[in-house]
């Protein structure tokens, strides 16, 4: 009979267990042992015979459903960040779609270098492509409700030879619950100590029988969160909302607006609901509904059919940069009748664009697996996944349309689709070599859907003197006519509003025009083979090779060798060597974006254009190529009395790493050198509103890097009811080639120093009858940030400790009540001291160190 994948909780002080994750196609299973001193046995799917966790040749963390329940977060991203020190997660407000789908890292490498799977099948990507940094397009882990997860395996090792593209840093595999009866319901509510960010999560699971030999497990989650604000009132040298604030400059050009009672009365028009702060920095409003199902049916003793799938619908919104009067967007404009129009008529206090994202995500996977009479096992599967983001921009204008502009726009949608067919086989040969092999075919598509016309249209005020009123310093006939009707037009005055040029498109996020709306498609296929054998009683060897061919790139061959050598009954050495690669996604090759960024510490409209397109290539870009890596891991496992310890060192060399180039300045001033040449190139390429763009960037295979580090995981039972787990990660990434042709000095420094080298988490649990107490300490080491105006201008941030406390009381087997707090010490990272952040931002908002403060919550769990 085929045994369906199950996981038993490890009989160790904590829930961290290590085992070898099976290559694609077959789910691992765990045979639990009673608490009689025996170790948990891990079956590595059909790719390896049963092995104890101490025999794993590569490091894998295995977390059970109970471990996930011990984490107060309900977002799967945050759960992993809490449990795995080498997994880092950032909150990035005012970062377009990254406000809603957060970027993460494993072993210091971006999320797109970690493969995500569900039930050992590749998970489709979200449609968002980050517009800066490495331009990641990754899976959105927030779509996976915690109630659906039976266990999580985190493989901390390169695995492209086993799984294909993306698995440079490792693999995260979510095993769904397989219950055919019973279920659970959980309600959690909490709020930050600042009195904002109130959130509620309701999740549940129910198991149903599917005939006599099957199961249907259904899980769902509803999540709602209010926004937070951790910034200050907008007050900079160029504009200060409140003259009483310390940053107010009485000599600034815009002083009259801050002192004008009419303007002051209009400030709430720019407000977003956070007191008097016109530009909030914090977590966005969010609402999400996620549904998952997992099903299996035993057709006969040797055959099983299975299926699983998901649906998610979410909405979220956040703010962009505050637009103050006379900032290049809110300018006096000369209209067709010769009169004047001031956008302050629409927004008396200026405005803060509001960005809304509606995300819909669905997936379906089905297959059949079993074993033929000759001992050959098989797994035939197919999957399809889609993710769509629909954007809305409100509380803004299309400046170039003047008075005619609307205040809300639909700038377009992004859609990512993937369809994959896969066949996997295993066969145990007479010499006890376990051979695994298979093939896969993958279709990918990324679509940029055109926005509504007014979101990208160039109105009359995208040009100087749009109505032909002036001929040099003298009025034309049309100009003389409007002067005769009382117009104040003065063609001899270069500051007359007739010459004013403003931006094109919905301000903050211009819509996708026909020029940049397209569908990018590709297909690929792969063949792989994997062999493993216990060479002796103490030596295990494994080797894998994979051939992958993409129709938009050359083919790639990757390999991996892994070994485990038992030195004694209680200690063993393990290690691996291999190659890996990551093919640029269709989204990375096709995405385009014009948004407000701060390349020089000041908000300007900045355009991102596809590296393979005519605009970026006119600026010197080349089409993207795959990233390639060499991976090395060496470590040991040991059991010293009751202490279980694993130490694994790693080295990852990446060649041709994808990253956005530092923003190139753009200017219409002929004396501005390269900036003017960039404008001419944009204009020649037909970019609408090129004269209002202040910067441009694109993705490139910019440089080589070396990432090195070590993972240390230890578990120890202090007593029969008190358990301790400590996990520590050291990680450092450095350039292995000269990046100066792509990055400026500030971006170079921040790339190497913006992430803590050391990260750790320690958890202690103590049970007193029905009461369970938990304390967790999270450590973020020192890190640095720089500002090149002037250079060098570097701030060193001290290490930060966050303490979580929780108490859970079980009234019986069904009911449990939990209260707790995250970051109960209300710790924050240090505030900006080098002027690198403007516009009311006080913390490094893209930092991987949390800057929201203490959070307190209560939860009720019901199991049936």
């Amino acid at each position: 009979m085929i045994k369906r994948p199950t996981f038993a909780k490890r009989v160790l002080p904590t829930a961290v267990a290590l085992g070898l994750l099976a290559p694609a196609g077959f789910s691992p299973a765990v045979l639990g042992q009673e608490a009689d001193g025996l170790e948990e046995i891990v079956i590595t799917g059909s790719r390896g015979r049963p092995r104890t966790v101490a025999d794993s040749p590569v490091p894998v963390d295995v977390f059970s459903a109970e471990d996930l329940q011990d984490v107060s977060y309900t977002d799967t991203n945050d759960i992993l960040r809490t449990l795995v020190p080498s997994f880092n997660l950032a909150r990035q407000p005012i970062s377009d779609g990254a406000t809603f789908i957060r970027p993460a890292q494993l072993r210091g490498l971006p999320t797109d270098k970690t493969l995500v799977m569900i039930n050992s099948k590749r998970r489709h990507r979200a449609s968002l492509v980050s517009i800066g940094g490495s331009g990641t397009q990754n899976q959105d882990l927030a779509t996976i409700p915690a109630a659906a997860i039976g266990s999580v395996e985190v493989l901390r090792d390169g695995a492209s030879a086993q799984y294909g593209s993306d698995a440079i840093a490792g693999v995260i595999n979510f095993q769904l619950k397989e219950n055919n009866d019973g279920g659970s319901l959980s309600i959690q509510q909490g709020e930050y100590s600042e009195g904002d960010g109130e959130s509620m999560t309701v999740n549940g699971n129910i198991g149903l029988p599917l005939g006599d030999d099957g199961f249907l497990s259904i899980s769902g989650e509803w999540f709602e969160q209010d926004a937070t604000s951790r910034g200050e009132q907008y007050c900079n040298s160029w504009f200060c909302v409140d003259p009483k604030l310390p940053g107010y400059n009485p000599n600034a050009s815009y002083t009259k607006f801050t002192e004008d009672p009419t303007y002051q009365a209009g400030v709430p028009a720019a407000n977003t609901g956070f007191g008097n702060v016109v530009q909030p920095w914090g977590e966005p409003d969010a609402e999400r509904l996620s549904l998952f199902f997992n099903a299996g049916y035993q057709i006969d003793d040797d055959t099983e059919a299975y299926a699983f799938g998901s649906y998610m619908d979410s909405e979220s919104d956040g703010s962009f940069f505050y637009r103050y009067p006379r900032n290049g967007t809110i300018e006096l404009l000369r209209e067709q009748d010769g009169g004047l129009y001031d956008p302050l008529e629409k927004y008396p206090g200026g405005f803060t664009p509001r960005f809304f994202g509606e995300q819909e995500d669905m997936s379906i996977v089905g297959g059949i697996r079993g074993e033929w009479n000759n001992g050959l096992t098989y797994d035939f599967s197919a999957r399809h996944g889609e993710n769509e983001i629909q954007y809305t921009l409100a509380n803004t204008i299309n400046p170039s349309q003047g008075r005619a502009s609307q205040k809300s726009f639909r700038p377009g949608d992004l859609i990512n689709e993937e369809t994959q067919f896969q066949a996997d086989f295993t066969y145990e040969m007479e010499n006890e070599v376990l051979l695994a092999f298979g093939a896969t075919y993958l279709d990918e598509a990324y679509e940029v859907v055109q926005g509504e016309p007014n979101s990208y249209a160039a109105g009359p005020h995208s040009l100087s003197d749009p109505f032909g009123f002036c001929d040099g310093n003298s009025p034309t006939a049309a100009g003389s006519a409007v002067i005769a009707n009382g117009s104040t037009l003065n063609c001899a005055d270069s500051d007359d509003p007739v010459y004013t040029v403003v931006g094109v498109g919905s301000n903050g996020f211009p819509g996708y025009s026909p020029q940049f709306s397209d569908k990018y498609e590709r297909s690929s296929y792969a063949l792989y083979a994997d062999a493993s054998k216990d060479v002796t009683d103490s030596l295990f060897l494994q080797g894998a090779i994979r051939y992958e061919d993409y129709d938009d790139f050359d083919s790639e061959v990757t390999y991996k060798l892994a070994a485990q050598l038992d030195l004694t009954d209680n200690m063993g050495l393990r290690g691996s060597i291999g190659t890996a690669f990551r093919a640029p996604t269709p989204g990375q090759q096709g995405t385009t974006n014009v948004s407000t960024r701060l390349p020089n510490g000041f908000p300007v409209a900045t355009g991102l254009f596809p590296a393979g397109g005519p605009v970026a290539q006119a600026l010197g870009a080349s089409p993207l190529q795959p990233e390639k890596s060499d991976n090395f891991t060496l470590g040991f496992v040991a059991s010293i009395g009751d202490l279980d310890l694993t130490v694994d060192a790693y080295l990852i060399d990446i060649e041709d790493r994808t990253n956005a180039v530092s923003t190139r300045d753009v200017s219409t001033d002929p004396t501005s050198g390269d900036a003017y040449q960039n404008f001419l190139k944009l204009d020649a390429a037909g970019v609408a509103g090129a004269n209002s763009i202040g910067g441009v960037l694109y993705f490139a295979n910019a440089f080589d890097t070396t990432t090195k580090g070590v993972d240390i995981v230890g578990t120890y039972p202090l007593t029969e009811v008190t358990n301790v787990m400590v996990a520590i990660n050291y990680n450092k990434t450095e350039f292995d080639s000269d990046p100066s042709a792509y990055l400026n000095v500030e971006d170079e420094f921040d790339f190497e120093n913006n992430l803590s080298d050391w990260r750790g988490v320690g958890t202690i649990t103590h049970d007193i009858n029905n009461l369970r107490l938990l304390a967790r300490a999270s450590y973020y080491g020192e890190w640095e940030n720089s500002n090149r105006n002037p250079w060098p201008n570097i701030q060193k941030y001290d290490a930060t400790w966050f303490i979580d406390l929780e108490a859970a009381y079980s009234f019986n087997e069904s009911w449990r009540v939990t209260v707790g707090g995250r970051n109960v010490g209300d710790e924050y990272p240090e505030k900006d001291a080098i002027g690198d952040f403007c516009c009311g931002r006080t913390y490094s908002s893209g930092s991987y160190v949390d800057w929201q403060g203490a959070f307190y919550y209560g939860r009720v769990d019901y199991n049936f």
Side-chain angles (χ1 to χ4, degrees):
M1 173 178 286
I2 302 298
K3 181 175 179 60
R4 287 193 296 268
T6 58
F7 277 89
K9 190 171 182 180
R10 183 179 181 184
V11 188
L12 285 175
T14 73
V16 178
L18 300 178
L20 175 62
L21 186 64
F26 288 85
S27 302
V30 170
L31 302 179
Q33 300 288 335
E34 297 299 325
D36 56 3
L38 295 178
E39 294 182 89
E40 180 186 59
I41 303 297
V42 177
I43 300 175
T44 60
S46 297
R47 302 263 179 118
R49 52 184 58 83
R51 311 186 59 78
T52 65
V53 292
D55 287 335
S56 168
V58 290
V60 179
D61 296 329
V62 180
F63 302 101
S64 69
E66 289 81 1
D67 303 322
L68 306 186
Q69 193 174 42
D70 279 341
V71 179
S72 62
Y73 289 102
T74 56
D75 188 314
T76 303
N77 283 291
D78 290 304
I79 292 173
L80 287 176
R81 176 182 62 172
T82 303
L83 295 174
V84 183
S86 59
F87 186 88
N88 287 285
L89 184 70
R91 167 66 67 191
Q92 294 191 355
I94 311 186
S95 189
D96 296 326
T99 303
F100 315 133
I101 300 176
R102 291 180 290 169
Q105 292 186 334
L106 182 66
R107 285 187 162 179
L109 298 176
T111 325
D112 61 357
K113 294 171 182 60
T114 298
L115 176 61
V116 175
M117 300 195 299
I118 295 181
N119 285 352
S120 296
K121 306 297 182 185
R122 179 183 287 262
R123 179 70 170 173
H124 65 277
R125 303 182 186 91
S127 51
L128 172 72
V129 178
S130 299
I131 58 176
S134 60
T136 57
Q137 184 190 358
N138 54 277
Q139 296 86 354
D140 184 8
L141 300 186
T143 63
I144 308 172
I149 302 172
S151 66
V152 182
E153 302 158 309
V154 182
L155 168 60
R156 295 177 276 110
D157 195 38
S160 284
Q162 297 157 306
Y163 300 100
S165 177
D166 303 345
I168 289 178
V171 180
I172 300 175
N173 184 34
F174 295 90
Q175 293 288 338
L176 301 178
K177 290 179 179 177
E178 298 185 345
N179 50 315
N180 61 7
D181 61 8
S184 63
L185 179 66
S186 176
I187 301 175
Q188 176 172 307
Q189 186 163 8
E191 185 177 74
Y192 286 100
S193 58
E194 293 283 336
D196 58 10
E198 182 178 357
S199 66
M200 174 177 281
T201 304
V202 180
N203 63 50
N205 166 269
I206 186 170
L208 302 171
L210 198 60
D212 294 331
D213 298 302
F215 71 92
L216 174 61
S217 183
I218 302 174
S219 305
E221 180 178 279
W222 176 79
F223 170 78
E224 185 176 47
Q225 175 182 275
D226 294 335
T228 65
S229 180
R230 297 293 179 268
E232 299 176 342
Q233 183 58 287
Y234 193 106
C235 190
N236 296 93
S237 60
W238 55 83
F239 196 89
C240 183
V241 169
D242 187 349
K244 298 184 290 294
L245 293 175
Y248 177 67
N249 178 9
N251 297 316
S253 304
Y254 309 112
T255 297
K256 61 181 180 180
F257 291 101
T258 65
E259 295 176 340
D260 185 338
T262 303
Y263 167 79
Q264 287 290 307
V267 167
N271 204 343
T272 53
F274 297 94
N276 293 319
V277 179
V278 298
Q279 182 175 314
W281 294 89
E283 296 185 354
D285 290 306
E287 185 174 350
R288 180 177 66 245
L289 174 66
S290 302
L291 299 172
F292 255 82
F293 82 91
N294 188 30
Y297 187 80
Q298 201 78 39
I299 298 174
D300 56 39
D301 286 350
D302 298 316
T303 311
E304 180 191 25
Y306 61 89
F308 57 91
S310 65
Y311 175 81
M312 187 275 293
D313 184 84
S314 70
E315 297 181 14
S316 191
D317 62 86
S319 295
F320 280 174
F321 287 98
Y322 165 59
R323 271 60 170 171
Y324 52 84
R326 307 302 178 254
N327 71 331
T329 297
I330 303 176
E331 300 287 348
L332 285 173
L333 302 173
R334 183 71 68 183
E335 296 190 290
Q336 192 166 6
D337 63 0
L340 295 177
Y341 166 69
D342 192 340
L344 290 176
E345 294 177 20
K346 281 187 170 73
Y347 300 107
F351 63 92
T352 302
R354 295 285 292 167
F355 192 46
F356 297 81
E358 297 182 24
Q359 185 182 180
E360 189 172 31
D361 187 282
M362 63 81 61
S363 69
I364 185 70
V365 180
I368 188 168
R369 58 191 170 202
E371 183 175 345
W372 287 314
N373 293 334
N374 60 2
L376 182 70
T377 70
Y378 61 89
D379 184 346
F380 299 108
S381 63
R383 72 173 180 91
H384 179 77
E386 295 183 18
N387 181 277
E388 179 176 5
I389 299 179
Q390 298 180 340
Y391 289 133
T392 299
L393 198 61
N395 203 52
T396 187
I397 56 175
N398 180 337
S400 69
Q401 292 182 333
R403 188 185 300 274
S405 173
Q406 60 202 64
K407 299 169 71 172
S408 179
F409 301 85
R410 285 278 290 110
D413 309 331
L414 301 174
I415 303 173
N416 189 80
E417 296 179 277
E418 298 175 25
T419 301
Q420 185 174 21
F421 301 94
Q422 189 165 316
D424 302 282
F425 306 90
T426 67
Y427 183 74
E428 187 165 358
M429 304 172 69
E430 292 183 0
N431 59 1
E432 295 186 341
V433 171
L434 186 65
L435 179 64
F437 56 95
T440 179
Y441 175 83
L442 174 63
D443 264 332
E444 302 173 84
Y446 185 82
E447 185 175 5
V448 179
V449 180
Q450 181 179 329
E452 64 173 292
N454 284 337
S455 71
Y456 59 80
H461 301 288
S462 63
L463 302 172
S464 178
D465 189 17
F467 307 112
F469 289 155
C470 299
D471 182 7
N473 292 334
S474 303
T476 62
S480 298
V482 297
I483 292 174
N485 288 330
S487 172
T488 59
L489 172 68
N490 183 357
C491 293
D493 181 2
S494 61
D495 292 328
D496 189 280
V498 75
Y499 298 117
T500 300
V501 175
V502 289
V504 171
S506 44
N507 188 252
F509 193 101
Y512 301 119
S513 67
Q515 181 184 5
F516 297 106
S517 301
D518 204 348
K519 189 170 186 177
Y520 304 84
E521 299 178 280
R522 77 167 176 212
S523 62
S524 63
Y525 68 91
L527 304 171
Y528 74 88
D530 182 294
S532 59
K533 177 179 173 62
D534 284 299
V535 180
T536 68
D537 289 341
S538 59
L539 177 63
F540 171 78
L541 295 178
Q542 182 185 32
I545 189 169
R546 187 181 188 96
Y547 172 84
E548 200 129 5
D549 186 271
Y550 287 79
D551 63 9
D552 53 350
F553 299 109
D554 293 335
S555 59
E556 294 289 341
V557 176
T558 54
Y559 74 89
K560 181 176 181 177
L561 300 173
Q564 167 82 20
L565 176 64
D566 295 331
L567 302 177
T568 68
D569 289 342
N570 299 315
M571 179 173 290
L573 295 176
R574 64 184 181 186
S576 68
I577 181 174
T579 59
F581 83 105
R582 192 196 69 82
T585 68
Q588 285 179 310
Q589 298 178 78
T591 193
T592 183
N593 178 282
V594 177
S595 58
T596 302
R597 297 172 65 83
L598 295 92
N600 300 301
F602 184 84
V604 297
T606 305
L608 169 73
F609 299 98
V615 177
Q617 292 201 354
L619 296 164
S622 299
L624 293 177
Q625 297 297 319
E627 301 167 278
K628 302 177 184 179
S629 75
D630 294 315
N631 296 60
F632 307 90
T633 300
L634 180 64
F636 70 86
V637 297
S639 293
I640 308 170
D642 291 329
L643 172 66
D644 285 322
L645 178 68
T646 66
V647 178
D648 295 281
Y650 56 88
L651 179 68
I652 307 171
D653 289 328
I654 302 180
E655 179 184 341
D656 294 330
R657 186 159 169 175
T658 300
N659 206 83
V661 301
S662 294
T663 302
R664 275 49 170 158
D665 291 335
V666 178
S667 174
T668 57
D669 181 1
T671 66
S672 60
D674 290 342
Y676 181 65
Q677 293 303 313
N678 289 335
F679 159 70
L680 294 178
K681 293 173 182 177
L682 292 180
D683 191 52
V687 176
N691 54 356
S692 62
I693 292 177
V696 66
L697 70 159
Y698 50 85
F699 298 126
N701 295 108
F703 41 76
D704 304 336
T705 62
T706 294
T707 298
K708 55 187 175 182
V710 62
D711 289 315
I712 304 171
V713 179
T715 65
Y716 185 76
L718 292 177
T719 69
E720 290 184 357
V721 295
T722 307
N723 301 316
V724 175
M725 183 278 287
V726 175
I728 299 171
N729 172 253
Y730 169 80
N731 189 90
K732 183 68 175 177
T733 296
E734 297 177 332
F735 291 111
D736 204 26
S737 66
D738 183 5
S740 59
Y742 302 94
L743 302 181
N744 60 40
V745 290
E746 180 178 347
D747 289 341
E748 283 187 44
F749 183 90
D750 291 346
F751 183 93
E752 293 187 320
N753 299 281
N754 225 207
L755 183 68
S756 305
D757 291 349
W758 288 96
R759 168 107 197 277
V761 58
T763 303
I764 182 169
T765 59
H766 181 69
D767 295 297
I768 308 173
N769 297 322
N770 293 336
L771 178 65
R772 179 177 176 84
L773 303 176
L774 179 147
R776 178 179 290 113
S778 298
Y779 174 80
Y780 293 83
E782 297 176 345
W783 57 285
E784 295 177 290
N785 181 56
S786 67
N787 182 357
R788 65 188 173 102
N789 297 310
W791 181 261
N793 191 9
I794 298 169
Q795 180 175 356
K796 188 171 184 177
Y797 289 80
D798 292 335
T800 307
W801 284 92
F802 294 134
I803 305 297
D804 304 340
L805 299 175
E806 183 179 280
Y809 185 81
S810 299
F811 293 94
N812 49 46
E813 292 184 356
S814 297
W815 290 96
R816 184 169 80 162
V817 175
T818 303
V819 294
R822 298 197 299 262
N823 186 15
V824 294
D826 200 28
E827 294 291 329
Y828 288 82
E830 295 160 84
K831 293 186 176 181
D832 173 42
I834 58 174
D836 192 39
F837 311 123
C838 80
C839 316
R841 177 168 47 167
T842 57
Y843 300 103
S844 177
S845 58
S847 166
Y848 290 93
V849 182
D850 188 73
W851 45 279
Q852 298 299 315
F855 181 87
Y856 296 96
Y857 60 90
R859 185 173 67 243
V860 176
D861 297 295
Y862 175 65
N863 295 296
F864 57 92

